[in-house]
Amino acid sequence: MVRLWGRSGARSARRPSGVRTGDAPDRVRGVPAGGLPREGQRQGRFPGVRATVRGRSVAGQVFVLQVVIVLLLVVAAVVALVLQVRHDTTEEARNRSVAVAESFANAPGTREALDGPDPTAVLQPRAEAAREATGVDFIVVMNTDGIRYTHPKTDRIGKKFVGNLEPALAGRVVTEQITGTIGPLVQAVVPVRDPDGKVVGLVSAGITTATVGGTADRQLPLVLTAAAVALALATAGTALVSRRLLRQTHGLGPDEMTRMYEHHDAVLHAVREGVIIVGTEGRLLLANDEAHRLLDLPANAEGHRVLHLGLAPDTAELLDSGRMATDEVHLVKDRLLAVNQRPTTLRGRPSGSVATLRDSTELRALSGRAEEARERLNMLYDAGVGIGTSLDVTRTAEELAELAVPRFADFATVDLFEAVLGGGQPEGVTRLRRTACGGIRKDAPLYPVGEEIRFVDSSPQARALKDGQAVIEPRLEEASGWRAQDLERSAQVVDFGIHSLVAVPLRAGTLVLGVVSFWRSRKAEPFDADEVALAEELVARAAVSIDNARRYTREHSMAVTLQRSLLPRSLPEQNALDIAYRYLPAQAGVGGDWFDVLPLSGARVALVVGDVVGHGLHAAATMGRLRTAVHNFSALDLPPDELLALLDELVARIDQDETAEEADTAPVTGATCLYAVYDPVSQRCTIARAGHPPPALIQPDGSVGFPDVPAGPPLGLGGLPFETAELELAEDSRLVLYTDGLVEDRARDIDEGLELLRAALARAGRSPEETCQAVLEARQPGRASDDIALIVARTRALGAELVAEWEVPSDPAAVGQVRSAVTRTLRAWGLQELSFTTELILSELVTNAIRYGGEPIRVRMLRDRSLICEVFDSSSTSPHLRYATMTDEGGRGLFLVAQLADRWGTRYLPAGKVIWAEQPLP
């Protein structure tokens, strides 16, 4: 029995299946000190089991208590079962021994054998047979003295029986529990009576308790196993219930839950917001002290429906509906309550709603002032962003007026000094001009825009200009100094409803640019001190932008003046080309694009187009220097490639002259140029370009092409030669020269621009003016980001009837022949008046060629806008004009030519030189 009990106890001590040590964090890991457990800290399949087993939480204590109770019940059941088995075993042994003893005592022949001579011989076999048949351990027959006649062990026959025989001798059945040689047993002693009832012998039957209780002992392990299984199931169920309780109590112990409840209750009633919890059917479950105060709830309001608490209908309806609400404003008596409500049915929580109440009466007053301050900050921010978007003084003043109305004032006027509008500085007391005016109405009786104003000394504007401080007139109808400005207009202003004024000077540092006036009509209150400070800040920011615009206007005016002085104001008169041009400045202002038309000797005309990258004074000044240099170089009658080489050397020299101390200057990088010379006699055009876009050529039939002109490097790089291209142009061809601003910008590359130019030229009219107009109209709308210079030149030819040319032998006698031919030609041209001077000029030039030059010698005479005489020889030596002394025999020929001709000069050719002279036609 002890062994079996030990086994059952060992089984009951095992852990339930599926529960492992370490499956859940302990109390410290599961529930942080002073707080609730976090879901992310739970690990394993049974979170919180370790804390539950330790019993620190409510769930743990409940779990331990339930396990102990189940264990005690199982132990009690097992103990009761063991005791019951022992009792039943004893009773069974007693009943069996009594029954066997009485049966044997009353069996036939037992009494007779006792009276026989040898009872042992008769009864011993019968007793053994009965013992084996009944399963008892012994059957002993004895006489009344207790001497044994039978016994399972024959050596004990004849010996005295051990036991209490007195009751049996008295005729009663005796049973007793003793421990014999075979172990604990129960024996019964039954008397054997004769027919007269006298006890003649005794029969004792006995059986050990082990024999009787063997079956019960075999059933006990099954009972204990069932008890262990029941204990395991009860423990697992208790663990599941405790786990749910652990999740619901967040692993808190009783003290912690009590402390938490006390803290929550203290916080709930200490907060400055009302908290209301409404359950199902709209019943009030909880309301803190602030909610009682804000809603004026009765003391026993909990448990009643919110519709029956005497609340305002809209507030009661909101609380009863349980719908979601965010900052809904409800009027409760004299309070404005902001109500936020959320249903609690979300995420599986109990049905109902939770509402918070906040008294927003004072908050709205504070928020109104905060909103006003925020609006002022926004206005100042908008002033920094919206004022000064353009570098135009007038537009900047208009932006100030537009910003101030109606956000700050009902009307705003900006008056600037005349000099400021032109980019200068006001000197002394000068008149102001109303530059901008804005208002909520257009019919205000204020001075109109463009009006010249001279404020009287007593006016707020004059005082603001004098003192440099803002001046406020809270009540214009009482301001005599302001009314003195214009009595009639002042009365009209007051009658119009304008009642308050703030005049703020426009100051940029120490410079006063004008005055800004803010007028109020709709709002009854006058301007206050805070608004005056805002006006000063607003005007101060605008003054910076206006001063920047003034400075830009001044710089721009200077640059424009410089540029206009450097660009050609009119084209020179010539007959070789019919020319039209356009010049469009860039959006950024003055640039460095330029062009020119230069008449050359021999009725030729030079076309030049250039571009200096950049804008402003430096670009315009550089452009002027380059244009002047081209003028000077063209006077030398240089070929285009040689002229560009000299121009390249000049630009490099300009870059070298820029010193490092002059931070506002920069090298002339990106300067380009195209130089073309057209000869109407040969109808040839020689072109060279330095980094410039190629020219376009429109043939007389309207076809458009871009001649292949070698592209040289931009000016200033040096070290590389320039190449020329010679084009033969039919009469009425159009040569188009332009700068890169026409064909290239940020939105497209030069190839796309050239195709657009080709398409525009293909559909242009035949005249140069129509061609220019078509090209500009084909451009996308909007101002260009770079300057555009465009020249369209339609070619003309100098007819053969206007050209006379002779070969002259190297013989002084040929001079006379030349004079005769010249006279005949001039007579044919109707220029007889020029015969003498022309004969004299050609005589001197031909004589010099024969004497100092080399063959061949040719004479050519052209009739164009002037009479042109040219003498060609193969020598490269150039004659020099000088004064001859009285003793000199020669040296006066060129002097005579210079006196008789309007212009003269030398033009070098690859195979010699040409000395030419021009005379004006009569």
Side-chain angles (χ1 to χ4, degrees):
M1 297 295 291
V2 175
R3 179 178 55 82
L4 293 176
W5 171 252
R7 287 182 180 177
S8 65
R11 290 176 181 175
S12 64
R14 293 177 183 173
R15 290 186 295 272
S17 176
V19 179
R20 298 174 296 173
T21 302
D23 282 346
D26 55 17
R27 180 68 182 89
V28 176
R29 293 168 58 193
V31 182
L36 299 180
R38 293 174 292 181
E39 294 296 333
Q41 292 176 320
R42 299 180 178 179
Q43 304 173 357
R45 292 178 297 170
F46 297 96
V49 172
R50 183 180 298 176
T52 301
V53 173
R54 292 187 177 183
R56 296 181 181 178
S57 63
V58 173
Q61 294 179 4
V62 172
F63 173 77
V64 172
L65 179 61
Q66 289 181 346
V67 170
V68 170
I69 291 174
V70 172
L71 183 61
L72 290 177
L73 290 176
V74 171
V75 171
V78 173
V79 171
L81 179 61
V82 171
L83 294 177
Q84 183 65 37
V85 168
R86 289 183 177 182
H87 178 268
D88 292 343
T89 300
T90 303
E91 288 296 322
E92 177 66 21
R94 183 180 290 112
N95 293 335
R96 188 184 298 183
S97 62
V98 170
V100 172
E102 286 184 344
S103 298
F104 195 85
N106 296 322
T110 301
R111 181 180 59 81
E112 290 78 4
L114 290 174
D115 294 336
D118 190 1
T120 299
V122 177
L123 295 176
Q124 177 67 18
R126 295 173 61 184
E128 288 300 312
R131 182 182 66 80
E132 292 178 0
T134 59
V136 297
D137 290 310
F138 64 87
I139 297 176
V140 177
V141 183
M142 68 194 82
N143 59 17
T144 55
D145 295 329
I147 301 302
R148 301 185 185 98
Y149 293 131
T150 64
H151 197 279
K153 297 180 179 182
T154 58
D155 59 342
R156 295 185 183 182
I157 297 174
K159 295 181 180 180
K160 187 172 179 63
F161 180 77
V162 179
N164 186 11
L165 301 179
E166 294 298 329
L169 294 176
R172 298 192 300 273
V173 178
V174 179
T175 60
E176 58 181 344
Q177 288 181 271
I178 63 173
T179 300
T181 58
I182 60 176
L185 55 87
V186 177
Q187 65 182 9
V189 181
V190 178
V192 180
R193 291 186 175 89
D194 59 8
D196 297 331
K198 180 181 178 181
V199 177
V200 295
L202 302 172
V203 178
S204 174
I207 187 171
T208 62
T209 56
T211 303
V212 178
T215 302
D217 288 343
R218 287 192 296 272
Q219 295 176 351
L220 185 60
L222 178 61
V223 173
L224 293 177
T225 302
V229 171
L231 177 61
L233 294 176
T235 303
T238 302
L240 293 177
V241 173
S242 299
R243 180 185 176 188
R244 183 173 182 180
L245 182 60
L246 176 67
R247 187 164 56 248
Q248 293 177 347
T249 59
H250 299 284
L252 299 177
D255 295 338
E256 292 174 323
M257 293 186 67
T258 302
R259 186 167 60 254
M260 177 185 292
Y261 172 79
E262 293 174 350
H263 289 172
H264 288 185
D265 187 67
V267 171
L268 180 66
H269 294 287
V271 294
R272 292 290 305 274
E273 288 190 0
V275 179
I276 288 181
I277 301 178
V278 180
T280 58
E281 300 181 356
R283 295 189 179 277
L284 180 63
L285 300 181
L286 183 143
N288 66 347
D289 294 343
E290 185 68 8
H292 276 270
R293 184 184 71 84
L294 295 176
L295 297 177
D296 197 15
L297 297 175
N300 59 346
E302 282 80 358
H304 294 80
R305 295 197 61 180
V306 293
L307 296 176
H308 302 156
L309 296 178
L311 301 176
D314 58 339
T315 307
E317 184 276 331
L318 172 62
L319 297 177
D320 181 68
S321 66
R323 62 180 174 84
M324 185 177 295
T326 301
D327 287 337
E328 284 193 14
V329 179
H330 292 261
L331 179 61
V332 179
K333 295 183 179 180
D334 57 343
R335 297 187 181 95
L336 288 175
L337 301 183
V339 182
N340 290 273
Q341 184 168 270
R342 295 292 184 274
T344 60
T345 54
L346 303 176
R347 299 181 182 176
R349 296 189 178 95
S351 60
S353 61
V354 177
T356 60
L357 313 173
R358 185 175 67 254
D359 190 353
S360 62
T361 306
E362 296 180 358
L363 181 61
R364 283 187 172 269
L366 292 174
S367 64
R369 291 194 291 271
E371 180 66 22
E372 184 178 353
R374 186 182 66 84
E375 174 60 24
R376 292 180 179 180
L377 290 176
N378 287 340
M379 186 184 302
L380 292 177
Y381 171 78
D382 293 340
V385 174
I387 298 178
T389 58
S390 65
L391 292 174
D392 182 80
V393 175
T394 302
R395 180 55 193 156
T396 305
E398 291 173 350
E399 290 172 345
L400 171 59
E402 292 171 358
L403 177 69
V405 177
R407 298 171 64 177
F408 177 70
D410 299 321
F411 299 91
T413 58
V414 181
D415 305 316
L416 300 178
F417 290 106
E418 288 280 359
V420 174
L421 296 174
Q425 297 183 7
E427 298 178 358
V429 180
T430 59
R431 290 181 179 270
L432 292 95
R433 185 175 296 275
R434 179 135 297 175
T435 308
C437 181
I440 57 176
R441 293 173 58 181
K442 300 296 184 182
D443 56 345
L446 300 172
Y447 288 117
V449 174
E451 182 86 6
E452 286 191 1
I453 307 172
R454 187 180 185 89
F455 291 106
V456 298
D457 294 340
S458 61
S459 65
Q461 291 85 352
R463 286 184 286 156
L465 291 173
K466 180 181 179 181
D467 300 335
Q469 300 293 330
V471 176
I472 180 174
E473 286 291 353
R475 295 176 180 83
L476 292 179
E477 69 274 7
E478 301 175 2
S480 58
W482 170 74
R483 296 173 69 92
Q485 174 68 35
D486 189 335
L487 295 177
E488 182 180 357
R489 188 179 294 273
S490 299
Q492 293 175 353
V493 170
V494 173
D495 293 340
F496 186 77
I498 298 176
H499 59 83
S500 185
L501 164 68
V502 173
V504 184
L506 264 166
R507 294 193 311 167
T510 60
L511 185 63
V512 179
L513 307 176
V515 63
V516 182
S517 302
F518 300 101
W519 315 77
R520 174 170 289 177
S521 63
R522 289 186 303 178
K523 190 175 180 181
E525 296 81 5
F527 290 104
D528 56 23
D530 291 339
E531 291 172 324
V532 172
L534 176 61
E536 290 179 329
E537 180 67 22
L538 187 64
V539 172
R541 299 196 178 197
V544 175
S545 298
I546 292 178
D547 187 53
N548 290 337
R550 178 191 66 85
R551 294 172 181 269
Y552 174 78
T553 301
R554 181 183 61 189
E555 298 294 332
H556 183 70
S557 299
M558 294 172 59
V560 168
T561 301
L562 175 62
Q563 185 188 40
R564 288 178 178 175
S565 66
L566 295 177
L567 288 175
R569 299 184 181 181
S570 62
L571 298 181
E573 296 182 356
Q574 45 81 32
N575 292 336
L577 298 170
D578 183 11
I579 295 177
Y581 68 93
R582 295 288 189 275
Y583 181 84
L584 298 180
Q587 186 175 5
V590 176
D593 290 14
W594 55 283
F595 65 93
D596 217 336
V597 179
L598 306 173
L600 301 178
S601 63
R604 296 171 305 133
V605 176
L607 301 176
V608 59
V609 176
D611 183 10
V612 176
V613 175
H615 299 87
L617 286 174
H618 181 73
T622 304
M623 176 267 289
R625 298 172 73 175
L626 295 182
R627 181 170 178 260
T628 302
V630 171
H631 268 269
N632 295 332
F633 294 151
S634 66
L636 301 176
D637 266 335
L638 297 175
D641 55 339
E642 295 184 16
L643 185 142
L644 291 182
L646 293 177
L647 201 61
D648 176 69
E649 184 179 352
L650 173 65
V651 172
R653 191 179 303 114
I654 292 175
D655 289 345
Q656 294 175 1
D657 292 341
E658 301 292 349
T659 60
E661 291 78 14
E662 296 175 344
D664 57 340
T665 60
V668 188
T669 57
T672 64
C673 184
L674 185 147
Y675 189 81
V677 177
Y678 174 68
D679 187 351
V681 177
S682 62
Q683 298 184 23
R684 291 180 177 273
C685 182
T686 306
I687 305 176
R689 61 189 179 112
H692 204 80
L697 179 62
I698 308 175
Q699 300 291 346
D701 59 359
S703 60
V704 180
F706 294 94
D708 185 13
V709 178
L715 299 177
L717 296 182
L720 296 176
F722 296 95
E723 299 181 55
T724 61
E726 191 170 281
L727 308 178
E728 195 165 330
L729 305 181
E731 189 173 7
D732 206 25
S733 298
R734 282 168 288 172
L735 188 64
V736 182
L737 308 182
Y738 52 90
T739 56
D740 58 355
L742 181 66
V743 295
E744 187 178 12
D745 56 26
R746 297 185 182 92
R748 64 188 179 205
D749 57 16
I750 190 170
D751 293 335
E752 182 181 358
L754 291 176
E755 288 302 319
L756 294 175
L757 177 60
R758 183 197 301 271
L761 294 175
R763 58 176 178 268
R766 298 194 62 84
S767 70
E769 283 290 339
E770 292 174 344
T771 305
C772 288
Q773 189 66 25
V775 170
L776 296 183
E777 289 178 353
R779 294 187 66 255
Q780 296 180 355
R783 299 187 63 184
S785 59
D786 195 6
D787 298 353
I788 296 176
L790 174 65
I791 299 179
V792 179
R794 184 171 59 186
T795 61
R796 297 174 182 172
L798 194 63
E801 69 277 6
L802 301 178
V803 178
E805 188 171 5
W806 306 277
E807 289 284 342
V808 179
S810 182
D811 184 2
V815 176
Q817 300 174 4
V818 171
R819 285 199 296 266
S820 299
V822 168
T823 301
R824 290 191 302 268
T825 302
L826 292 178
R827 186 181 302 113
W829 289 348
L831 300 178
Q832 297 88 339
E833 299 178 8
L834 300 179
S835 298
F836 177 75
T837 56
T838 305
E839 290 178 4
L840 184 57
I841 291 173
L842 284 177
S843 297
E844 293 297 331
L845 295 180
V846 171
T847 300
N848 284 339
I850 294 173
R851 180 177 299 178
Y852 303 109
E855 292 183 334
I857 301 173
R858 290 191 299 271
V859 174
R860 190 174 69 169
M861 198 163 55
L862 308 174
R863 180 182 178 181
D864 192 37
R865 288 184 165 278
S866 61
L867 181 63
I868 304 172
C869 300
E870 298 179 341
V871 176
F872 168 82
D873 68 83
S874 61
S875 173
S876 60
T877 59
S878 175
H880 298 283
L881 181 66
R882 66 184 180 86
Y883 286 98
T885 63
M886 294 297 294
T887 60
D888 288 341
E889 296 182 0
R892 297 176 178 82
L894 285 182
F895 182 80
L896 291 175
V897 172
Q899 296 300 314
L900 296 175
D902 190 34
R903 292 194 313 149
W904 76 279
T906 303
R907 179 172 76 249
Y908 291 94
L909 301 176
K913 67 177 181 297
V914 174
I915 301 177
W916 55 271
E918 292 185 6
Q919 302 176 73
L921 297 178

